[in-house]
């Protein structure tokens, strides 16, 4: 490490240039990773934040909530096995709302839930609603960006029903749209307004049943009901429209950034190693161990990668503070740690090419002795 530090002090301009390149690459990796996680969270937060580990869906619905249709029969069967408090119905309806204020129009997703059940959201601002409340809803706080406030009247364009915003909840989005929570009483009214008969509406047709259950209880529900499938929360999230395609595209971009970073660093250090061939030959002739020379090359890469990561993290957090709230960006501790470990790992992997080059240096040839 002494040799690595001394050489870096001696060639400040050269290693400063390498560090700038590593800084830009690591900043791009962190920013794209934060953007990918932010887009994912804006797509799935309402489902991800649910206190449920399983969901009962119709068997031929391909795990998609909106394609599934369940009745009171499936709900009763799920509750008989998982428990009354551990099975809660959920109805999902995407729609467009307008407000009593001029020029306010927004795409939203209605979640019809039991306000006394486990899916009831925590109110961040305003007041909550009950199962007996009529015409009041809880909305995701992102609707505030559209001009909706507590007390605002919003109209569902599909049914023409008016609702009053009683309170706001945080981090509840579904398929990149804010979630508006209604109770089952208003859900029945919405179904009647959509053209369903009063008799059908009274049956309270749900899309899914959220469960807090064990794997054995989930299997028992599937065995008891032939027309349903019990999926995990992870499977439910993967089936949200657009989620998998969006995340796979961003993941491929991130992977390519890691690969590009490894190649760029490998080329830079390989060129520097070639330029120092005679120096390595002299050191070998003096009896310097190969392990010491290898650690010198690896140590330089490690120092530069860690330093560039530290600066890029500061730049990323600084930029995040300046980004508008409408831009989805999220970097959690686990994501930061994993990204940093992968970046350092790819950098060290790229440095192995230089180490292999140093190992092949012949001391006699490097110092100019070509033989008789």
């Amino acid at each position: 490490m002494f040799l690595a530090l001394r050489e870096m002090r001696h060639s400040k301009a050269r290693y400063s240039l390498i560090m700038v390149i590593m800084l830009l690459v690591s900043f791009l990796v962190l920013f794209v990773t934060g953007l990918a996680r932010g887009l994912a969270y804006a797509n799935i937060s309402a489902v991800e934040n649910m206190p449920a580990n399983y969901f009962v869906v119709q068997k031929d619905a391909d795990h998609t909530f909106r394609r599934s249709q369940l009745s009171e029969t499936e709900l009763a069967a799920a509750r008989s096995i998982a428990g009354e408090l551990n099975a809660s119905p959920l109805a999902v309806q995407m729609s467009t709302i307008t407000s009593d204020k001029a020029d306010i129009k927004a795409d939203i997703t209605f979640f019809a839930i039991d306000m006394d059940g486990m899916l009831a959201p925590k109110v961040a601002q305003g007041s909550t609603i009950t199962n007996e409340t009529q015409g009041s809803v809880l909305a995701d706080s992102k609707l505030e960006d559209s001009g909706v406030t507590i007390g605002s009247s919003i109209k569902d364009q599909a049914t023409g029903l008016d609702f009053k915003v009683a309170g706001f909840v945080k981090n509840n989005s579904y398929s990149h749209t804010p979630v508006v929570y209604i109770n089952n009483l208003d859900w029945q009214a919405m179904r009647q307004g959509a053209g369903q008969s009063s008799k059908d509406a009274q049956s309270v047709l749900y899309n899914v049943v959220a469960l807090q259950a064990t794997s054995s209880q989930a299997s028992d529900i599937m065995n008891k009901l032939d027309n349903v499938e019990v999926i995990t929360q992870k499977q439910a999230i993967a089936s949200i429209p657009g989620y998998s395609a969006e995340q796979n595209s961003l993941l491929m971009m991130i992977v390519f950034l890691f690969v590009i970073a490894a190649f760029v660093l490998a080329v830079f250090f390989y060129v520097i190693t070639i330029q120092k061939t005679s120096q390595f030959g002299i050191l070998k002739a003096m009896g310097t161990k190969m392990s010491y020379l290898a650690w010198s090359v690896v140590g330089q890469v490690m120092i530069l990668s860690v330093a560039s990561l530290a600066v890029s993290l500061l730049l990323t957090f600084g930029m995040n503070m300046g980004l508008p709230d409408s831009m989805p960006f999220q970097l959690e501790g686990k994501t930061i740690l994993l990204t940093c470990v992968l970046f350092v790992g790819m950098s060290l992997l790229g440095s192995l090419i230089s180490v292999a080059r140093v190992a092949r240096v012949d001391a006699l040839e490097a110092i100019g002795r070509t033989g008789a």
Side-chain angles (χ1 to χ4, degrees):
M1 188 62 71
F2 171 77
L3 180 62
L5 292 173
R6 184 164 183 173
E7 185 179 3
M8 290 173 66
R9 286 197 299 266
H10 182 266
S11 305
K12 295 184 179 67
R14 175 190 296 175
Y15 287 99
S16 295
L17 179 61
I18 297 175
M19 183 174 174
V20 169
I21 294 173
M22 295 180 70
L23 170 63
L24 294 175
V25 174
S26 60
F27 172 75
L28 185 58
V29 169
L30 286 169
F31 187 79
V32 174
T33 302
L35 183 62
R37 179 53 189 160
L39 285 170
Y41 196 68
N43 199 349
I44 65 172
S45 58
V47 177
E48 187 177 65
N49 294 334
M50 285 183 179
N53 56 348
Y54 289 100
F55 293 91
V56 181
V57 297
Q58 193 174 350
K59 183 171 287 186
D60 57 354
D62 295 329
H63 300 175
T64 304
F65 285 3
R66 289 185 295 150
R67 296 178 187 172
S68 174
Q69 290 187 334
L70 304 177
S71 66
E72 288 286 354
T73 302
E74 287 81 16
L75 175 60
R79 283 178 168 173
S80 66
I81 295 174
E84 187 77 16
L85 300 178
N86 295 325
S88 186
L90 169 65
V92 180
Q93 178 64 52
M94 302 191 79
S95 184
T96 301
I97 60 167
T98 57
S99 177
D100 53 355
K101 297 182 179 180
D103 299 328
I104 293 180
K105 191 173 185 179
D107 294 326
I108 58 94
T109 301
F110 282 108
F111 272 20
I113 61 172
D114 178 8
M115 291 298 171
D116 294 327
M118 65 177 182
L119 298 184
K122 183 179 179 181
V123 178
Q125 185 181 358
S127 58
T128 188
I129 61 177
T130 65
N131 287 326
E132 290 73 35
T133 306
Q134 284 188 292
S136 293
V137 298
L138 298 175
D140 184 73
S141 58
K142 291 183 180 64
L143 278 180
E144 287 186 289
D145 298 334
S146 302
V148 177
T149 60
I150 294 177
S152 294
S153 177
I154 59 175
K155 176 181 286 188
D156 175 31
Q157 284 195 332
T159 61
L161 294 178
D162 291 314
F163 299 99
K164 180 181 178 182
V165 178
F168 285 116
V169 297
K170 288 187 176 295
N171 300 324
N172 281 272
S173 300
Y174 181 85
S175 194
H176 293 296
T177 60
V179 170
V180 174
Y181 289 92
I182 62 175
N183 57 27
N184 288 325
L185 195 61
D186 285 329
W187 174 239
Q188 293 180 35
M190 283 186 64
R191 293 182 62 212
Q192 290 181 24
Q196 297 189 21
S197 67
S198 176
K199 182 178 179 181
D200 289 337
Q202 289 297 327
S203 66
V204 192
L205 191 66
Y206 306 109
N207 293 104
V208 298
V209 176
L211 299 173
Q212 280 185 333
T214 62
S215 57
S216 60
Q217 289 175 330
S219 299
D220 291 341
I221 293 174
M222 291 182 64
N223 293 332
K224 187 173 183 178
L225 300 170
D226 295 330
N227 64 325
V228 303
E229 185 177 1
V230 180
I231 62 175
T232 63
Q233 187 183 52
K234 189 175 182 179
Q235 289 175 310
I237 288 174
S239 301
I240 293 177
Y243 173 76
S244 295
E246 177 184 87
Q247 290 302 301
N248 288 338
S249 299
L250 290 169
L251 180 60
M252 184 177 296
M253 186 185 302
I254 294 171
V255 170
F256 273 110
L257 284 175
F258 277 116
V259 174
I260 291 171
F263 271 105
V264 169
L265 296 176
V267 169
F268 266 97
F269 278 95
Y270 186 74
V271 171
I272 293 175
T273 301
I274 292 176
Q275 294 175 346
K276 297 188 299 183
T277 299
S278 60
Q279 298 175 22
F280 284 122
I282 293 172
L283 289 172
K284 279 190 172 183
M286 294 171 59
T288 306
K289 293 182 179 179
M290 178 58 205
S291 59
Y292 182 84
L293 297 177
W295 177 240
S296 173
V297 175
V298 173
Q300 286 179 347
V301 175
M302 184 177 295
I303 292 171
L304 291 174
S305 59
V306 171
S308 62
L309 272 174
V311 178
S312 61
L313 279 172
L314 294 176
L315 291 176
T316 303
F317 288 129
M319 178 169 285
N320 184 31
M321 294 176 64
L323 291 175
D325 294 336
S326 58
M327 179 174 287
F329 186 89
Q330 188 179 42
L331 268 181
E332 300 172 340
K334 291 182 179 179
T335 305
I336 293 174
L337 180 61
L338 178 62
T339 303
C340 291
V341 169
L342 286 175
F343 184 81
V344 173
M346 293 298 290
S347 301
L348 294 178
L349 185 64
S351 70
L352 295 181
I353 300 177
S354 298
V355 172
R357 172 67 181 178
V358 174
R360 293 197 302 269
V361 172
D362 183 86
L364 297 179
E365 290 183 3
I367 62 179
R369 181 176 176 180
T370 59

